Amino acid sequence: MRIYPENHGNGRRAARRLAAFAALTVLAIFTAGCWDRVEIQDRGMVKSMAVDVVEADPDPPATQRVEDFVQPHGPKQFMLTLEVVRLAGGQRQSSGTSESQTFTISSHGRSLHEMKRDMLGQLSKNLDFGHMDAVIFSEAALKQEGLRPLMDNFLRDPSIRWRMRIYVTSGTARSILEYKTPTGEPLGQFLASLMTNQSRSTHMPAARTDMGYITIALDNGGDVYLPRIEVAEKALKVGGGAAFHKDKFIGYVDEPTVQGWRLARGLQKAASITIPCEEHPENLAVMEITNSSATMEPHVDGDNIYFTVEYQASGNLAEFQCINEHGKVEPQDIHKLEKRFAQELTRSIAASLHTMQVLNFDPSGVIAEKLKSREHATWLKIKDRWPEIYPTIPFYVHASVTLQNIGEHR
Amino acid sequence: MASDLDPKDKLSPWQLTILLAAVGIGSQIILAPAQLIKHAGQGAWISVALGAVAFFAATWLMLKLGEQFPDQNLVQYFPAVWGKLLGGIFLAWFVIIHLLQFITILHGFSRVIAFNLFFRTPEEAIAILFLFTCAYGAMQDWGTIIRIQQFIFFVVIPPLVALWLVALLNFSYDRLLPLLPDDPLTVLTGVPATWNFYSGYEVVLLIFPLIYRIGVKKAVAAGAAFGCMGVLFTTVTVLTIGVLSAKTAADMIYPTLVVIKGIEIPGTFVERLEVYMLIVWIPIVFDTMIILFAVPARVLAQSTRYSDHRRWILFFIPVVSVLFVLLDPINIATKTGEALTTLGWGFSFLVAPLTLLAAKLKYPYRKRDTDADIS
């Protein structure tokens, strides 16, 4: 029986609307909201990571036994340590010392990913690697495994920053993570800030050595170098570099070599250059480079390949230790100083390139890439013999200097 | 009196430009470059630029075909030209291309979003939500769809371009050299693969009767769309190779995303720009998807004498859902993508030109449509 035959159409429309509303509500329940919501206080933000080789120990200490887990495949080769932010902040203790803003946790295993997951058993937080600034590899881990396999997990994880820094230490990487920074910052943040100083210090191989650039270099068959970091008691220092043939560790290069390379590549805007006084070599004159440019070009002349490096710098006289012996810096001294600084820059760059050739080391494959892109026909002829040819290639370096200022005091 | 809210089923030639550009600039900007760069190396950008020319040629042929039947769309003239059976097969081909493209993009889209933004959310949940959103959009009349596209196009494309231009900070010209790869043939053989970038232009076969016949010529409007897409896609490919190098870009699953991920603006707190890019990307994909969903529904509605295409859209929802699950394994999705490119390329350069030829032979004295100047 139809109760309201005249309203039947309206009733059907209302029923349809109700069904649509119910369908939308169900849909909203199942699809809205956020499965991925993690409150900030529930995040264990990892600021830095250390990878060491684990020493075989038949009777490990109690802490290590607790940190450990049963691994179904492969030997336990690495110790992974994470620096995690203590979000409650450093609390002042009764003794007056402040509690660190971070803490470290470790695990032993073969796979970095498996260790990261196992460490969740030591933590009430959800590990978050999206803010990780630094990874420190021990020399031993790199010698054992090579760089690429150790980086593999980072490259697959979309949360990891493409511009994350990787460091190498000759000692244990964990000791770096346990270093208490003088500013109280988390170590990862401290290192990230420290590396921004690279624009004014040529001793740190920081430009174009982050994870993104390393990956590109390795994918293209190039060599890489990474910043070296060392710690002893209360001192921590980044300086010099760790050199790799492709991804195999070959040794360290010192600060002058890093400086010469960075100048040759035009990766340095500001730098300090020292020259000894001609008459009193124990005293130094120092130039602060404030602006510079460099071009490195390959040339082919018949069967001969050579490179030219043209370097131009301008800056100020930063220090003149012979002031007592020679008197104040006069305008006629400027040209002489410019010439000697230019000679020193030429020597520095040439020496660095020579060291690279002796090591058969082409950071980021830059020199090979220059030849490949600019003299492609020649590259095709010699590419298979490049490792033999590279150490024999002459580099002709020319530097020019302009001293713009001698400082506030003559 | 007609208001702005009334359904509008007429398009100006410049709206055609927006429609073609909006449907082209979509998901593939993230999904497609890796395969192309893998194939064509550092010369991939040349393939992309040549692709713009090739697919504009295909669109021009389709417009010429439309001019043969100015008041009809392909549903009406394909059976007339080829007969019921062959015409039906070609129409089915047309429908399959759009549906398969829709499913492939839905797959890639939900995977990218889940992988990069919501790693705990099942891809299927993202796909279902997006499927319903696209279905709702596709149910609208052409006028509404065009207005949605215009809005999204002008609001979203500028920030997307701005984001990519910031990537110039990491650009190295040397990575593009030599401009022509050692094997130049790879550049040419890479052109068909760029169908993924430009696809969607096939819609002109359906909407041709809706386009005004006065003012700017349709071919010029389509040329403007392909010019816009060609410049954008070529720039993005050049940037991707210049930032990552061809080898790294080929090894990445979503290289254009990594290009943005690598941006660090010195002295600012802005970081993880890829998240912003994905947020901008979502409406761009929606722009493409509503057309890909609306087109097969309208073709089938017209073919089956159902006046309302919305029933077909409702029918497609479970069909797409099932196919989405069936095509889930990565290897099957890859094979489907390859088959789709072949189908798309074949329709554009085989079916459409042959139909034009057959129409000219069959109706040699037919009065054709020409664009008139507005004066």
Side-chain angles (χ1 to χ4, degrees):
Chain A
M1 191 180 96
R2 290 179 184 177
I3 301 171
Y4 302 111
E6 68 278 13
N7 289 334
H8 181 67
N10 287 342
R12 230 174 29 194
R13 199 176 302 135
R16 266 213 307 253
R17 280 181 185 169
L18 192 66
F21 178 75
L24 280 173
T25 309
V26 170
L27 187 69
I29 288 168
F30 281 101
T31 56
C34 194
W35 265 285
D36 302 85
R37 179 178 56 87
V38 181
E39 301 294 347
I40 193 161
Q41 68 270 18
D42 296 329
R43 289 173 190 258
M45 287 183 193
V46 179
K47 290 303 287 178
S48 57
M49 175 190 281
V51 180
D52 288 293
V53 168
V54 67
E55 301 296 335
D57 186 354
D59 186 22
T63 310
Q64 188 177 326
R65 280 204 299 274
V66 171
E67 287 172 349
D68 219 343
F69 65 98
V70 177
Q71 184 179 277
H73 303 290
K76 296 242 171 185
Q77 288 180 327
F78 300 115
M79 176 171 69
L80 180 70
T81 308
L82 304 180
E83 183 201 26
V84 185
V85 174
R86 194 192 308 271
L87 276 176
Q91 290 167 1
R92 196 155 291 278
Q93 295 175 333
S94 54
S95 60
T97 57
S98 92
E99 196 181 6
S100 171
Q101 289 184 11
T102 59
F103 59 92
T104 58
I105 51 172
S106 296
S107 182
H108 304 81
R110 181 76 181 88
S111 147
L112 299 189
H113 189 76
E114 192 178 24
M115 283 186 274
K116 275 155 56 179
R117 288 290 177 264
D118 176 71
M119 273 190 247
L120 291 171
Q122 300 181 43
L123 204 62
S124 61
K125 310 285 182 188
N126 197 346
L127 284 173
D128 178 352
F129 293 87
H131 299 271
M132 190 162 72
D133 290 313
V135 172
I136 297 123
F137 289 127
S138 74
E139 181 189 317
L142 288 164
K143 276 181 176 165
Q144 183 174 301
E145 193 73 5
L147 180 59
R148 184 61 181 81
L150 287 176
M151 279 170 57
D152 190 78
N153 180 239
F154 309 141
L155 292 176
R156 291 179 198 281
D157 183 348
S159 71
I160 300 280
R161 294 172 189 218
W162 187 243
R163 296 279 167 239
M164 185 184 71
R165 297 254 174 219
I166 299 178
Y167 304 81
V168 178
T169 184
S170 60
T172 57
R174 181 177 177 159
S175 62
I176 308 272
L177 254 60
E178 287 168 347
Y179 172 75
K180 301 292 174 213
T181 61
T183 53
E185 295 167 279
L187 183 87
Q189 195 174 317
F190 177 80
L191 288 177
S193 303
L194 179 151
M195 292 306 260
T196 60
N197 294 334
Q198 57 101 4
S199 62
R200 295 198 295 164
S201 167
T202 43
H203 292 169
M204 292 188 277
R208 302 191 185 173
T209 55
D210 58 41
M211 192 179 74
Y213 281 108
I214 294 165
T215 306
I216 293 169
L218 291 174
D219 285 345
N220 286 278
D223 300 334
V224 294
Y225 75 155
L226 294 170
R228 178 181 183 177
I229 186 168
E230 298 295 345
V231 69
E233 295 174 1
K234 290 186 176 178
L236 176 143
K237 175 79 188 295
V238 176
F244 294 78
H245 265 313
K246 309 286 187 270
D247 77 328
K248 302 292 174 216
F249 177 78
I250 55 168
Y252 295 104
V253 286
D254 58 18
E255 286 87 349
T257 305
V258 170
Q259 171 172 288
W261 175 253
R262 294 192 63 179
L263 295 174
R265 287 281 291 113
L267 296 174
Q268 191 70 33
K269 288 291 172 205
S272 295
I273 298 297
T274 57
I275 51 170
C277 173
E278 272 180 324
E279 290 85 17
H280 316 91
E282 71 279 8
N283 293 333
L284 301 177
V286 184
M287 178 190 173
E288 182 193 22
I289 297 173
T290 53
N291 199 12
S292 66
S293 65
T295 50
M296 186 187 282
E297 288 294 334
H299 303 274
V300 177
D301 179 15
D303 287 341
N304 297 321
I305 301 167
Y306 63 94
F307 276 73
T308 53
V309 179
E310 193 67 40
Y311 183 79
Q312 291 178 316
S314 58
N316 308 323
L317 188 64
E319 201 172 352
F320 189 64
Q321 293 182 337
C322 286
I323 185 108
N324 287 341
E325 290 83 357
H326 294 284
K328 292 173 180 174
V329 179
E330 300 297 337
Q332 61 269 24
D333 299 325
I334 301 290
H335 181 64
K336 199 175 167 188
L337 283 167
E338 285 177 340
K339 203 172 158 190
R340 291 203 55 222
F341 279 124
Q343 284 169 347
E344 174 58 20
L345 280 164
T346 305
R347 187 206 63 74
S348 169
I349 293 170
S352 176
L353 290 169
H354 177 70
T355 305
M356 302 290 185
Q357 286 182 290
V358 168
L359 292 170
N360 206 345
F361 174 55
D362 177 9
S364 303
V366 165
I367 295 167
E369 191 178 291
K370 290 268 179 204
L371 193 63
K372 183 184 172 188
S373 58
R374 306 294 166 95
E375 299 288 347
H376 194 64
T378 305
W379 170 256
L380 289 177
K381 281 187 223 162
I382 59 111
K383 66 177 182 180
D384 295 331
R385 292 182 294 123
W386 175 246
E388 297 103 72
I389 290 172
Y390 169 54
T392 66
I393 291 176
F395 283 84
Y396 298 104
V397 183
H398 177 258
S400 59
V401 164
T402 307
L403 268 179
Q404 292 173 318
N405 286 302
I406 57 167
E408 273 198 333
H409 196 288
R410 195 177 289 278
Chain B
M1 185 181 150
S3 76
D4 280 349
L5 296 173
D6 288 339
K8 290 176 183 171
D9 276 343
K10 281 288 177 190
L11 275 76
S12 74
W14 289 125
Q15 284 180 318
L16 174 68
T17 304
I18 300 290
L19 177 76
L20 291 178
V23 75
I25 301 168
S27 58
Q28 303 294 359
I29 214 161
I30 286 181
L31 303 176
Q35 280 300 319
L36 177 65
I37 295 171
K38 198 172 184 176
H39 180 83
Q42 80 257 33
W45 64 274
I46 306 173
S47 303
V48 173
L50 291 175
V53 178
F55 295 109
F56 169 66
T59 311
W60 182 77
L61 283 174
M62 289 177 184
L63 288 171
K64 285 286 160 201
L65 178 58
E67 284 173 10
Q68 296 287 316
F69 309 94
D71 298 316
Q72 296 178 356
N73 60 34
L74 81 166
V75 183
Q76 291 154 305
Y77 59 73
F78 262 52
V81 173
W82 292 113
K84 225 171 177 181
L85 180 66
L86 209 50
I89 289 172
F90 289 148
L91 282 178
W93 189 332
F94 185 79
V95 167
I96 287 169
I97 288 172
H98 285 84
L99 270 183
L100 218 49
Q101 179 80 325
F102 183 90
I103 295 163
T104 309
I105 292 175
L106 189 65
H107 233 284
F109 170 80
S110 51
R111 185 157 287 174
V112 170
I113 296 294
F115 188 63
N116 290 284
L117 290 182
F118 308 120
F119 65 97
R120 285 180 184 171
T121 307
E123 284 173 31
E124 291 77 9
I126 294 166
I128 286 172
L129 182 64
F130 203 63
L131 175 61
F132 276 91
T133 314
C134 294
Y136 178 73
M139 281 182 178
Q140 310 306 313
D141 61 282
W142 280 119
T144 310
I145 290 175
I146 291 294
R147 283 197 293 273
I148 291 171
Q149 291 207 313
Q150 283 172 313
F151 176 77
I152 292 177
F153 187 82
F154 288 113
V155 169
V156 167
I157 296 293
L160 186 77
V161 171
L163 272 174
W164 257 305
L165 290 181
V166 183
L168 280 169
L169 289 167
N170 300 325
F171 184 79
S172 166
Y173 176 62
D174 279 353
R175 295 193 180 119
L176 288 169
L177 298 177
L179 289 177
L180 208 57
D182 296 337
D183 183 5
L185 203 63
T186 57
V187 170
L188 289 178
T189 52
V191 174
T194 64
W195 178 80
N196 285 318
F197 289 77
Y198 298 100
S199 64
Y201 55 85
E202 298 88 346
V203 70
V204 296
L205 291 173
L206 188 67
I207 60 166
F208 189 90
L210 311 179
I211 307 166
Y212 289 127
R213 290 174 208 168
I214 54 169
V216 179
K217 289 182 176 171
K218 297 178 193 78
V220 174
F226 276 91
C228 171
M229 286 192 283
V231 168
L232 181 72
F233 293 149
T234 307
T235 307
V236 168
T237 315
V238 164
L239 271 173
T240 305
I241 295 167
V243 170
L244 294 179
S245 82
K247 280 192 176 162
T248 299
D251 285 342
M252 291 285 168
I253 308 296
Y254 310 116
T256 44
L257 207 54
V258 178
V259 168
I260 306 294
K261 192 176 177 180
I263 297 171
E264 229 180 28
I265 305 173
T268 65
F269 62 89
V270 181
E271 54 181 22
R272 305 306 297 251
L273 288 178
E274 77 273 16
V275 174
Y276 299 95
M277 184 188 167
L278 286 172
I279 291 168
V280 169
W281 185 59
I282 292 167
I284 293 176
V285 179
F286 174 70
D287 236 7
T288 304
M289 299 284 265
I290 49 175
I291 294 288
L292 294 178
F293 215 28
V295 167
R298 284 171 184 272
V299 168
L300 287 175
Q302 207 176 331
S303 307
T304 53
R305 309 245 185 274
Y306 271 38
S307 60
D308 196 344
H309 69 283
R310 290 178 293 187
R311 295 174 190 187
W312 280 103
I313 286 176
L314 292 175
F315 171 72
F316 283 154
I317 289 173
V319 173
V320 167
S321 304
V322 170
L323 286 174
F324 179 88
V325 175
L326 289 178
L327 299 179
D328 190 45
I330 289 179
N331 56 338
I332 295 179
T334 310
K335 292 280 175 209
T336 310
E338 288 166 6
L340 179 61
T341 305
T342 311
L343 282 173
W345 182 262
F347 189 87
S348 295
F349 292 100
L350 199 70
V351 177
L354 282 178
T355 310
L356 176 63
L357 190 66
K360 278 187 180 284
L361 292 173
K362 200 165 181 180
Y363 308 107
Y365 304 112
R366 190 183 177 93
K367 186 175 175 291
R368 286 162 204 148
D369 179 51
T370 49
D371 293 317
D373 285 331
I374 199 157
S375 57

